[in-house]
Amino acid sequence: MAHHSTSSEDESTQPDEENTRRAEAAREEKLQQFFDAHENCRATKAQLEAVFDLGLDEKDREKLIDLIENPSMLYPLEGQTVLEKAVDLVIFTLKSVLSDTLAATTTSTDLRRTSVNPPGSSTATAQRADRALATKLVLIAQYELSGVVTSLARVKILKSKSGGEALLVSLRNARASLVEWDPERYSIYTISIHLYEPKDREDKDLPGNPWDPDEKDNASYLTVDPRSRCAALKFGERQLAILPFHQQSDDLVMEDYDPDIDGERPEPTTSHAKNGTEDNGGDKTPYGASFVVSMLALDPTLLHPVHLAFLYEYREPTFGVLSSQMASSMSLLPERRDTLSYTVITLDLEQRALTVLLSVNDLPYDMFAVVPLRLPIGGTLLIGGNQIIHVDQAGKTNGVAVNEFAKTSTTLSLADQSDLALRLEDCLIEQLGHESSELLLILNSGELAIVGFKIDGRSISGLSIRRVPEHDGGFALSAGPSCASLVGRGRMFIGSEDADSVVLGWSRRLDKLKRQKSNLGVGAEVDVDASDLSDLDEDIDDDDDLYASTLADQKPKGDTNIPDASDQSDEYRFRVHDTLENFGPIRTITLGKPSEQLLGSTRGDENAGFELMATSGRGRAGALTTFRRQIDPRVLESHSLPNATRLWSVSVTRPSDGLSAYHSEDFDSYIIASTRNEDLLQSAAYALKPAGLENVKDTDFDPDAGMTVEVGTLNNGARIVQVLPTELRSFDADFGLAQILPLAEEEDRGAAPEIISASFADPYVLLIRDDESIMVLRADEASELDEIEQGNSLKRKGFRAGYLYEDSNDVFRLESEVEIEDDAGNVLMFLLTVGGGLQIFRLPSLEQWVYRAEGLSFLPPYLNPSFWARRSQAKEDLTELLVAELGDASHKAPYLILRSALNDVIIYQPYQSPASAGSDTPLSFLKMPNPHFTRTSLSSLYDENEEGRREPMRALSDVAGYSAVFLPGEAPTFIIKSASSPPQLINTREKPIQSLTSLHTKTCEKGFAYIDHQGSTKFAHLPIGCQYHTGWVTQKIVFGEDIHALDHHEPTATHVVGVSRKVDFKLPEDETHPEWATESTSLLPQVEQGTVKLLDHRTWSIIDEYPLAPGEVVMAIKTMNLEISETTHERRPLIVVGTAVIRGEDLPAQGRIYVFNVIPVVPDPDRPETGHKLKTVAKEEIKGAVTALSEIGTQGFLLAAQGQKCMVRGLKEDGSLLPVAFMDMQCYTSVVKELKGTGLCLMGDAVKGEDPYALRLFGKSPSHIEVIAADFLPDGKQLYLIIADADSNIHILQFDPEHPKSLSLHLLLPHSTFHTPSFPTSCTLLLTPSAKPSVLLTSTSGSLALLSPLAPSTHRTLSALQSHLGSTLAAPLGLNARGFRAAVGGEEGMRGGGVVDGMVVRRWMEGGRWRWWSGEGEGKGVRGCVAEGVEGVGGVV
């Protein structure tokens, strides 16, 4: 360890070498004592040394060591975190893990970096990384919602099932649901549903004021009183719904209650609103009767409400409203500058009366948010585009101008900090801790700033803002936030719609911590988050500056000065602890071949299939994301193991090796294979050498002993145990025979039962035999195996499968009634009975089970010992059981995984619930949602050569950092889980895979070995840089710029990408406007400047680019097979780019059409991928923006939507684009698509047209549709048009010229309408020979949807199944899936029920087996229909 000595203000001389040696010796002595005290600790010496160097006291050390020893133990920090993600409600808890800050892994490739180290590279770990605690998100539950969430708020209720808080969720269209956590069901429980509608009017059938927005266009959001006395839901134009909650009386229980002054606290009483409802038991519900008020009834000046929020420090529920009496307008800014008012209104729940307390008028027109502040600040913060204003309880205002435009937007007196040049539009402000006097300001660009206050007593006298420097994490976020919430001391969750959501942590450099480190003699500086240390003890005193998260926590109360921004030792330092990946907003997609980085150099492209590439993110978060439905293993080596059918990797420990470098990495030493050559069953052993695999020779390993059933190690790797059908053989690390344990006498071996499966958990071995009996063996100190005596319950046989699991973290919490004096660990034996029951034994006791659930085969949603479906015989035929940990390095947890005779996989999660009646243990199991369906034919589920037995599931302890499970066979599948996602089942593209085992060698770290369909043995990795938390294989390539369009150029394996960046706009020189030359504005407006870039798909690197003019943005990119010669009619795949030159609202937009060719060039010697460049073939100036492009016809022409026309153009040899035909459009052509081979073309908003050449209007929509995206969908002889509108509805129109309602090709026939939760962005027709035509839809939330035609019989089956599931499955938040999918405001006849909701039917197996729809014979038909309807995309991508 390097030692760096630094000078100190308290010391005038540096220590000499003798003092340094003494300090080092003293440190080493203390460190050795620390190691000796934790000799039995499971933490490594490196981890213990890192804890020792932190300088913590003994109490905090022990807590941190306990955290390291129990990585799966959850440490909830101030409760749980609830997020709304797209249409999911997700509940997380937080967990602190010890991580390397220098060796942090990345989940994406950043093109802005010059080099990227792949996972497993030693570059990042060559130096000693700083050790720090990181806060990670751990998934608790996830629910798919039939609605769009607008707000989340926690509410304290008098009584809840868990004893915690409830959650109030508001949804679009003025709905709210109150839910709580049910620990018995390990799920949310819906307490109530609230729906508010506008009051009935006599003229309700008549339209309202023409300038009033529609009800669906009004935003609805929620705010809750800080003491949870009521909630307010703003909906409609100016309607307010008040929902009271029963609470203990607050009249005498004040926030500033002081027992030394006010005396003994009185007994609390319960207060509630009038007309409170009661349940059957007489207990009051958590809420009272709600009521709706109009803001105009409160105050006539609240004509245009902007924002409202409940305030702190008030006796009664009080909220502040930001509103205006007249509409604001920038064009009338000289006349209407200060048009907004801030009004404080108090609410009397008993009388249902609202009273105005104060009003602050003449506020700037651009204020948009009300931010209530806790003590020690108090009051309210009003946010505007150019200024921030603080209003205290007396109405006193203090403000600060953040840019020069604040002077022109308001006459209010503000402190001048215009040199900051901040743009506050869409910014977000959150307090840095509940007791902090400073705020975190997050700009729309993702930059961070600190807002400080000058406090004089209890009043605010000034505000100050300072930017966070980049080296302190000021640019930790790459895009603007959508929400933020404190989730613990020094931690904040920041959600974003344009980038990944993050858990952001902050720290300050503390003098006390510096002194502690200097006393240890450690020269290397360690930056420790005070927030991280606070995880170890939530009850720590506030005056301990080691755990202080803010300056206010450290300074005396009398010191209220604004922190000095120049004091670097007192500055905040921000870092990202964890991320939630976001793929939105998706603007456009394309299909192409996967890159070589994914496949590896040894794979060919003939079986690689396609991958989907989509744009995602905005601004600095702009990226390309690839989606693949299946895993392509990255093959590193290929070996020939003759006739191998099964594989096992073995890692051994040799006592003589000590702590050698080779075995300190736990590399595997051997590969053992089971072979079959016709009827000859043998085994083979191979040593893993740097040169490859070598046969193990001159050892006691006997290949002719028979076929190996299972292989494992005992005694910490000192013994290799080979399980054969009739005996066990134990070897030392060099395959010296140590023991042969026959399971029957020599004369009885022919009739003795054979072993069909085995399981290992040091020092135990579980054997399952073909006569449904089991045997449990144990290795003693000399590694000799002996059988454990069984109880009567096990001697009766009747066991189909079993598995051993070492519960080192005591997750199951099962105790044996028999006293166990054993130090062999907490090993549990799970047994699956022939009748479909579950029995658990705690070894070494086999006298009596410690847990029994006979109803397992009914597959109930919640499994406990008391469950039994008494009136049903619908059992599932379960054949295999496995208990394994799933997760990543941040968090792992055990799961019970079952496999049925039909190859279905059922996953149960164990949890502790309150012990129910008839149950002696709180252990229960929750069935996890699993929409994955088997694609294996029933005739191939069993291997006839192995007597009807399938290759068992295999637990993988560490594959690319994941603890996973693999299912071999014709549909090989990985079960992978990350800390923040549920278990996902992902197929491999290569199939079948006969056997797979984990592999860890110097050349294949944390990989696996498998036998492919040709019998070859391959060493492989999971694809580098990919994520699996969505159930897809995804990889993100960060551009750092907005990406508007892209397409794939297949001949050169490149992608053409249209990006843009913000540049300052300066007024040009103009003789008619000489004043433009003297423009003195420093905060210039910004416009986009586009660039066309050529991306090499093999290496994810930019190899060429074509810059555009300022203000010119790429609108569309298409690769077209155009005719380049009028004489030879030669065709060539060219890239066509359409752009728009945006010059402001007072000038008409212009556009250009570029035609590029990708030509080969001599590559750069250092970059061999740069062998192609863009060559300009044509460039055409266009009147109007070019908004859409498409190839059309069979003559090599292109169709361009330019302005209010759609024009067909042909490429001439001189580089010009000759107009051939055109059609007039209504306003803005958003989409142009051609159905190849038919001559039909789809155009958005086509109204009328000319027919000069070959364009003819065949049909248009029967009603007004705001077309955002559209495409064709052919189905046999039928042709449909899929149209996505601005209201997130999907319209299906049919083109049928022979139907009488088409009015002779004038109208398209409406078929059905389907509502989606996210705004659509694109529709793409997918045509492949192996699958039906389908349309892939993308959205701004990053979600993908597939619309596929169904056969009539399949449609009828799935429609009936959808109705059945809608009435039997639980609906989170009490939402109606069918009502949600109905289009709002659709025309009559446009609401057909012809679309089956795949999100509903894929939940077919979530209910118990007795609830599976229809009988056993028809159930197989339902299985096929669901697999066809839900997983159709698997055959395309």
Side-chain angles (χ1 to χ4, degrees):
M1 179 183 298
H3 179 79
H4 304 279
S5 59
T6 57
S7 61
S8 173
E9 296 179 359
D10 299 332
E11 298 177 356
S12 58
T13 61
Q14 297 181 351
D16 54 15
E17 295 182 1
E18 182 65 25
N19 292 334
T20 302
R21 285 196 297 269
R22 289 178 180 177
E24 287 291 341
R27 177 186 178 278
E28 293 297 332
E29 181 179 359
K30 292 180 180 180
L31 181 60
Q32 186 60 43
Q33 294 175 357
F34 187 67
F35 287 159
D36 295 340
H38 299 86
E39 183 179 359
N40 298 325
C41 176
R42 287 191 295 268
T44 64
K45 283 193 173 183
Q47 292 173 328
L48 291 175
E49 183 179 359
V51 174
F52 181 83
D53 288 341
L54 289 178
L56 307 178
D57 57 24
E58 183 178 357
K59 178 182 177 182
D60 292 334
R61 279 180 179 175
E62 296 304 320
K63 286 183 175 290
L64 183 54
I65 292 172
D66 181 64
L67 185 148
I68 297 173
E69 286 188 276
N70 301 278
S72 64
M73 185 179 297
L74 301 184
Y75 285 80
L77 309 177
E78 298 187 11
Q80 295 174 337
T81 302
V82 182
L83 310 176
E84 185 275 324
K85 186 174 65 173
V87 291
D88 290 351
L89 184 70
V90 191
I91 302 176
F92 294 98
T93 190
L94 299 180
K95 176 186 176 183
S96 294
V97 298
L98 197 61
S99 64
D100 294 337
T101 57
L102 293 183
T105 58
T106 178
T107 60
S108 60
T109 301
D110 195 339
L111 294 183
R112 297 168 294 179
R113 296 195 295 250
T114 56
S115 64
V116 178
N117 292 326
S121 173
S122 60
T123 304
T125 58
Q127 53 181 323
R128 183 176 181 269
D130 292 338
R131 306 291 290 178
L133 288 175
T135 300
K136 299 295 184 179
L137 293 167
V138 177
L139 180 70
I140 297 296
Q142 180 173 334
Y143 306 95
E144 295 176 352
L145 302 180
S146 298
V148 179
V149 176
T150 59
S151 301
L152 297 175
R154 58 184 185 181
V155 178
K156 293 181 180 179
I157 58 179
L158 290 178
K159 185 178 180 181
S160 64
K161 293 179 179 291
S162 63
E165 298 175 330
L167 180 68
L168 188 61
V169 184
S170 69
L171 299 103
R172 191 186 296 170
N173 299 330
R175 301 188 181 199
S177 295
L178 182 65
V179 298
E180 64 176 333
W181 183 255
D182 185 356
E184 185 176 352
R185 294 285 186 174
Y186 205 71
S187 176
I188 59 173
Y189 171 77
T190 303
I191 300 175
S192 59
I193 307 170
H194 307 269
L195 172 62
Y196 301 97
E197 297 178 351
K199 293 183 178 180
D200 293 334
R201 307 188 308 264
E202 293 182 359
D203 58 345
K204 61 182 180 180
D205 294 331
L206 299 177
N209 296 328
W211 53 83
D212 283 346
D214 296 335
E215 292 295 332
K216 61 182 178 62
D217 296 328
N218 286 309
S220 61
Y221 55 89
L222 184 71
T223 178
V224 175
D225 174 60
R227 299 183 193 173
S228 299
R229 292 167 291 189
C230 66
L233 177 65
K234 188 266 177 186
F235 67 98
E237 182 69 8
R238 52 187 69 88
Q239 299 291 322
L240 200 62
I242 307 297
L243 178 62
F245 294 101
H246 302 303
Q247 297 292 344
Q248 294 179 348
S249 177
D250 292 323
D251 292 339
L252 297 177
V253 188
M254 301 294 295
E255 287 184 352
D256 55 355
Y257 177 82
D258 191 343
D260 297 333
I261 301 175
D262 300 327
E264 185 178 355
R265 185 187 296 269
E267 290 295 328
T269 59
T270 301
S271 64
H272 56 87
K274 289 184 177 181
N275 301 326
T277 58
E278 299 184 0
D279 58 17
N280 297 331
D283 296 332
K284 290 182 173 57
T285 57
Y287 55 90
S290 62
F291 56 95
V292 178
V293 295
S294 173
M295 290 189 180
L296 289 179
L298 304 179
D299 191 341
T301 62
L302 303 179
L303 184 61
H304 300 284
V306 177
H307 193 238
L308 63 92
F310 276 99
L311 309 179
Y312 296 90
E313 300 182 82
Y314 283 91
R315 180 185 298 267
E316 298 293 339
T318 303
F319 57 89
V321 183
L322 191 63
S323 64
S324 66
Q325 194 171 4
M326 62 181 70
S328 301
S329 174
M330 291 190 63
S331 60
L332 299 176
L333 193 57
E335 304 294 333
R336 300 180 181 178
R337 262 200 295 194
D338 298 325
T339 59
L340 294 184
S341 300
Y342 173 67
T343 306
V344 178
I345 301 173
T346 185
L347 176 61
D348 187 347
L349 296 177
E350 295 286 343
Q351 303 297 327
R352 295 191 177 184
L354 293 91
T355 305
V356 176
L357 296 183
L358 65 89
S359 182
V360 180
N361 300 319
D362 300 330
L363 295 176
Y365 77 99
D366 59 350
M367 311 298 288
F368 60 86
V370 177
V371 181
L373 302 177
R374 305 179 183 88
L375 289 176
I377 306 173
T380 308
L381 208 62
L382 305 179
I383 314 300
N386 307 308
Q387 63 282 318
I388 297 177
I389 299 174
H390 179 268
V391 182
D392 63 11
Q393 286 187 332
K396 176 185 174 182
T397 61
N398 289 278
V400 57
V402 299
N403 58 51
E404 59 186 275
F405 292 103
K407 300 177 182 179
T408 60
S409 63
T410 181
T411 58
L412 196 66
S413 177
L414 302 171
D416 187 12
Q417 282 193 278
S418 57
D419 58 317
L420 292 174
L422 300 180
R423 307 172 193 266
L424 298 182
E425 289 82 5
D426 298 325
C427 73
L428 193 144
I429 289 183
E430 188 70 28
Q431 218 162 333
L432 283 168
H434 295 297
E435 299 176 358
S436 174
S437 61
E438 293 181 310
L439 311 178
L440 178 63
L441 170 63
I442 311 172
L443 301 179
N444 190 37
S445 61
E447 300 177 55
L448 304 180
I450 303 296
V451 180
F453 295 86
K454 186 175 182 180
I455 307 175
D456 292 334
R458 292 181 62 91
S459 64
I460 302 297
S461 59
L463 285 79
S464 175
I465 302 176
R466 61 187 187 275
R467 289 180 181 267
V468 178
E470 184 176 2
H471 61 81
D472 286 338
F475 293 87
L477 308 180
S478 55
S482 61
C483 61
S485 178
L486 287 170
V487 292
R489 282 195 172 190
R491 281 166 305 276
M492 183 184 298
F493 179 85
I494 302 175
S496 177
E497 296 179 352
D498 300 330
D500 294 344
S501 301
V502 303
V503 177
L504 187 69
W506 58 89
S507 63
R508 277 186 167 177
R509 200 168 297 278
L510 308 175
D511 293 336
K512 179 177 178 180
L513 191 58
K514 288 181 179 179
R515 291 194 299 271
Q516 290 178 344
K517 291 182 290 183
S518 63
N519 292 336
L520 290 173
V522 180
E525 193 173 73
V526 181
D527 191 12
V528 180
D529 280 9
S531 60
D532 296 331
L533 300 180
S534 65
D535 294 345
L536 307 177
D537 194 349
E538 291 295 333
D539 299 327
I540 194 161
D541 295 335
D542 293 336
D543 57 355
D544 189 347
D545 62 350
L546 178 62
Y547 297 91
S549 59
T550 64
L551 185 63
D553 295 333
Q554 304 172 45
K555 289 189 175 183
K557 293 184 178 179
D559 190 358
T560 57
N561 293 328
I562 299 175
D564 186 3
S566 63
D567 186 6
Q568 295 298 324
S569 66
D570 206 26
E571 281 301 301
Y572 287 96
R573 294 191 172 185
F574 295 89
R575 68 183 178 96
V576 174
H577 288 234
D578 200 5
T579 61
L580 284 181
E581 201 166 24
N582 175 28
F583 301 123
I586 296 178
R587 295 182 178 179
T588 183
I589 62 173
T590 186
L591 292 174
K593 291 286 186 179
S595 68
E596 291 184 0
Q597 282 193 350
L598 282 176
L599 300 178
S601 58
T602 61
R603 289 292 308 274
D605 290 339
E606 64 275 2
N607 297 321
F610 292 93
E611 72 177 4
L612 175 69
M613 178 172 283
T615 63
S616 60
R618 287 196 178 101
R620 290 187 292 117
L624 291 179
T625 304
T626 62
F627 296 86
R628 290 183 60 79
R629 198 66 180 93
Q630 297 169 321
I631 294 177
D632 285 286
R634 188 171 187 269
V635 177
L636 303 177
E637 302 177 24
S638 182
H639 302 274
S640 176
L641 303 185
N643 305 316
T645 58
R646 298 178 69 180
L647 294 176
W648 295 269
S649 61
V650 179
S651 175
V652 299
T653 301
R654 295 179 175 86
S656 60
D657 287 345
L659 298 177
S660 64
Y662 184 84
H663 286 289
S664 65
E665 297 290 340
D666 294 328
F667 288 133
D668 292 332
S669 305
Y670 301 102
I671 288 284
I672 297 179
S674 179
T675 64
R676 176 192 297 271
N677 187 6
E678 296 180 354
D679 295 334
L680 182 60
L681 304 179
Q682 292 180 317
S683 299
Y686 301 89
L688 290 165
K689 300 294 183 180
L693 293 178
E694 296 181 3
N695 280 311
V696 174
K697 300 178 181 179
D698 301 328
T699 64
D700 293 334
F701 184 84
D702 185 6
D704 299 325
M707 180 183 67
T708 302
V709 176
E710 189 65 54
V711 175
T713 60
L714 297 176
N715 196 8
N716 295 322
R719 282 288 186 268
I720 305 173
V721 179
Q722 179 189 18
V723 181
L724 301 171
T726 58
E727 65 183 20
L728 275 73
R729 295 194 175 195
S730 178
F731 304 91
D732 60 17
D734 297 316
F735 276 106
L737 185 61
Q739 182 185 8
I740 297 179
L741 182 64
L743 301 185
E745 298 297 334
E746 186 72 24
E747 60 274 7
D748 297 333
R749 289 194 178 184
E754 293 187 351
I755 302 172
I756 59 175
S757 65
S759 177
F760 288 82
D762 202 359
Y764 301 101
V765 182
L766 169 64
L767 306 177
I768 307 295
R769 296 186 285 194
D770 56 6
D771 64 344
E772 299 178 352
S773 64
I774 71 167
M775 177 181 292
V776 182
L777 308 175
R778 176 177 179 174
D780 56 18
E781 296 180 356
S783 300
E784 294 291 329
L785 290 170
D786 294 314
E787 182 180 1
I788 301 177
E789 184 178 355
Q790 301 180 8
N792 294 329
S793 60
L794 294 179
K795 292 180 180 178
R796 290 193 292 265
K797 302 182 180 181
F799 299 100
R800 179 171 291 182
Y803 202 82
L804 297 183
Y805 173 73
E806 183 177 1
D807 190 10
S808 58
N809 296 320
D810 199 20
V811 175
F812 292 91
R813 301 180 188 177
L814 295 175
E815 297 292 338
S816 176
E817 296 180 357
V818 181
E819 185 177 354
I820 299 176
E821 297 180 0
D822 199 293
D823 58 352
N826 186 14
V827 178
L828 302 178
M829 179 175 67
F830 293 78
L831 296 177
L832 176 65
T833 65
V834 176
L838 172 67
Q839 295 183 10
I840 305 177
F841 292 78
R842 182 176 179 184
L843 301 182
S845 175
L846 298 180
E847 294 294 331
Q848 182 66 26
W849 40 260
V850 295
Y851 187 88
R852 181 181 181 185
E854 292 298 332
L856 177 63
S857 60
F858 291 103
L859 304 182
Y862 304 94
L863 176 67
N864 53 48
S866 60
F867 173 82
W868 184 261
R870 295 178 178 86
R871 298 184 179 181
S872 175
Q873 300 297 324
K875 289 186 176 183
E876 184 71 3
D877 186 10
L878 301 177
T879 61
E880 192 175 350
L881 173 147
L882 182 142
V883 180
E885 289 186 346
L886 298 177
D888 54 18
S890 299
H891 177 73
K892 301 175 184 178
Y895 287 84
L896 173 64
I897 304 174
L898 307 169
R899 187 154 62 156
S900 71
L902 295 178
N903 210 29
D904 290 328
V905 177
I906 302 97
I907 304 175
Y908 277 94
Q909 176 187 1
Y911 70 95
Q912 302 295 324
S913 68
S916 57
S919 175
D920 298 329
T921 174
L923 176 62
S924 298
F925 292 88
L926 172 68
K927 186 162 72 170
M928 306 297 294
N930 176 23
H932 186 275
F933 294 91
T934 177
R935 288 183 168 273
T936 307
S937 60
L938 298 179
S939 61
S940 61
L941 288 177
Y942 298 98
D943 187 349
E944 297 179 357
N945 294 330
E946 295 191 8
E947 301 177 359
R949 292 193 295 270
R950 290 177 296 189
E951 177 74 12
M953 297 182 289
R954 186 70 60 89
L956 309 174
S957 59
D958 191 353
V959 175
Y962 292 96
S963 293
V965 172
F966 181 77
L967 284 72
E970 286 198 359
T973 305
F974 279 96
I975 304 178
I976 300 180
K977 181 189 182 302
S978 65
S980 57
S981 72
Q984 303 288 354
L985 278 75
I986 309 178
N987 294 109
T988 61
R989 186 169 298 278
E990 184 167 359
K991 56 188 67 170
I993 291 180
Q994 300 181 37
S995 180
L996 182 142
T997 184
S998 59
L999 185 66
H1000 184 49
T1001 65
K1002 289 184 178 181
T1003 58
C1004 183
E1005 295 187 16
K1006 298 180 180 180
F1008 51 88
Y1010 68 93
I1011 304 175
D1012 63 8
H1013 64 285
Q1014 297 178 348
S1016 299
T1017 300
K1018 296 180 178 179
F1019 295 176
H1021 273 304
L1022 289 178
I1024 294 177
C1026 293
Q1027 300 296 311
Y1028 310 93
H1029 56 86
T1030 61
W1032 291 58
V1033 182
T1034 62
Q1035 185 180 23
K1036 185 178 287 188
I1037 305 98
V1038 178
F1039 268 69
E1041 298 175 302
D1042 271 328
I1043 304 179
H1044 299 274
L1046 82 155
D1047 204 359
H1048 179 63
H1049 192 259
E1050 188 172 353
T1052 58
T1054 58
H1055 278 86
V1056 182
V1057 185
V1059 304
S1060 71
R1061 58 185 178 89
K1062 297 285 188 178
V1063 296
D1064 291 336
F1065 174 77
K1066 294 184 179 180
L1067 293 173
E1069 296 182 1
D1070 194 333
E1071 296 180 355
T1072 60
H1073 296 279
E1075 69 277 7
W1076 288 3
T1078 60
E1079 183 184 16
S1080 60
T1081 303
S1082 59
L1083 186 62
L1084 294 172
Q1086 292 185 320
V1087 295
E1088 292 181 301
Q1089 180 177 5
T1091 305
V1092 180
K1093 295 188 176 183
L1094 189 63
L1095 174 69
D1096 181 69
H1097 192 36
R1098 301 178 181 89
T1099 59
W1100 299 128
S1101 59
I1102 302 297
I1103 58 177
D1104 193 20
E1105 60 182 43
Y1106 183 89
L1108 304 178
E1112 187 176 8
V1113 182
V1114 176
M1115 301 294 290
I1117 294 178
K1118 291 292 181 183
T1119 300
M1120 304 182 188
N1121 191 22
L1122 299 182
E1123 181 182 279
I1124 62 173
S1125 174
E1126 298 177 278
T1127 56
T1128 62
H1129 302 289
E1130 181 185 354
R1131 300 283 190 90
R1132 183 175 297 170
L1134 302 177
I1135 298 167
V1136 184
V1137 179
T1139 68
V1141 182
I1142 304 171
R1143 302 185 295 171
E1145 59 185 12
D1146 56 339
L1147 295 175
Q1150 294 182 351
R1152 296 186 180 97
I1153 298 178
Y1154 298 86
V1155 181
F1156 296 100
N1157 187 18
V1158 181
I1159 60 173
V1161 295
V1162 178
D1164 187 341
D1166 296 331
R1167 298 183 62 193
E1169 69 273 10
T1170 59
H1172 296 90
K1173 293 186 72 68
L1174 292 172
K1175 178 184 178 181
T1176 305
V1177 177
K1179 178 181 177 181
E1180 190 80 13
E1181 299 282 345
I1182 303 295
K1183 292 183 179 180
V1186 181
T1187 57
L1189 294 169
S1190 175
E1191 190 175 354
I1192 189 171
T1194 60
Q1195 299 177 351
F1197 294 157
L1198 68 90
L1199 175 62
Q1202 52 185 70
Q1204 293 179 314
K1205 294 179 181 295
C1206 280
M1207 189 168 291
V1208 178
R1209 293 176 176 269
L1211 179 63
K1212 298 180 65 177
E1213 295 180 354
D1214 59 357
S1216 61
L1217 294 172
L1218 177 67
V1220 178
F1222 75 95
M1223 174 176 282
D1224 290 328
M1225 309 300 292
Q1226 182 182 15
C1227 181
Y1228 179 88
T1229 306
S1230 57
V1231 59
V1232 170
K1233 295 288 181 69
E1234 182 213 17
L1235 185 61
K1236 291 187 177 182
T1238 63
L1240 297 176
C1241 182
L1242 184 153
M1243 305 178 188
D1245 289 338
V1247 175
K1248 61 180 180 178
E1250 306 275 339
D1251 190 12
Y1253 175 69
L1255 289 181
R1256 180 179 179 186
L1257 182 64
F1258 276 164
K1260 62 182 181 180
S1261 60
S1263 61
H1264 175 69
I1265 300 176
E1266 299 179 52
V1267 178
I1268 302 299
D1271 210 330
F1272 292 98
L1273 179 58
D1275 181 22
K1277 296 183 179 180
Q1278 304 293 328
L1279 179 61
Y1280 299 93
L1281 279 71
I1282 311 302
I1283 300 174
D1285 68 7
D1287 293 327
S1288 303
N1289 297 323
I1290 306 300
H1291 301 270
I1292 302 177
L1293 307 179
Q1294 184 177 5
F1295 176 73
D1296 189 357
E1298 299 180 359
H1299 199 282
K1301 290 187 177 181
S1302 66
L1303 301 181
S1304 302
L1305 299 179
H1306 182 65
L1307 294 178
L1308 299 172
L1309 302 178
H1311 184 271
S1312 58
T1313 306
F1314 191 73
H1315 183 67
T1316 61
S1318 303
F1319 190 82
T1321 56
S1322 70
C1323 296
T1324 304
L1325 176 63
L1326 303 178
L1327 295 173
T1328 59
S1330 59
K1332 286 186 176 181
S1334 303
V1335 171
L1336 187 65
L1337 300 102
T1338 63
S1339 67
T1340 54
S1341 65
S1343 59
L1344 302 174
L1346 190 73
L1347 187 63
S1348 303
L1350 297 174
S1353 59
T1354 302
H1355 185 273
R1356 288 192 298 268
T1357 301
L1358 294 183
S1359 296
L1361 176 62
Q1362 176 177 310
S1363 301
H1364 169 75
L1365 295 177
S1367 60
T1368 58
L1369 293 180
L1373 306 185
L1375 302 176
N1376 186 347
R1378 177 171 293 183
F1380 172 67
R1381 293 301 187 181
V1384 178
E1387 297 289 338
E1388 193 69 25
M1390 293 280 289
R1391 297 185 181 184
V1395 180
V1396 177
D1397 190 351
M1399 301 294 289
V1400 174
V1401 298
R1402 74 173 188 166
R1403 300 176 60 190
W1404 172 50
M1405 298 176 63
E1406 283 190 22
R1409 184 62 179 86
W1410 68 97
R1411 289 187 180 273
W1412 290 10
W1413 183 63
S1414 78
E1416 183 68 25
E1418 298 181 8
K1420 297 179 181 179
V1422 172
R1423 177 188 303 274
C1425 292
V1426 173
E1428 176 187 353
V1430 175
E1431 295 201 343
V1433 71
V1436 180
V1437 180

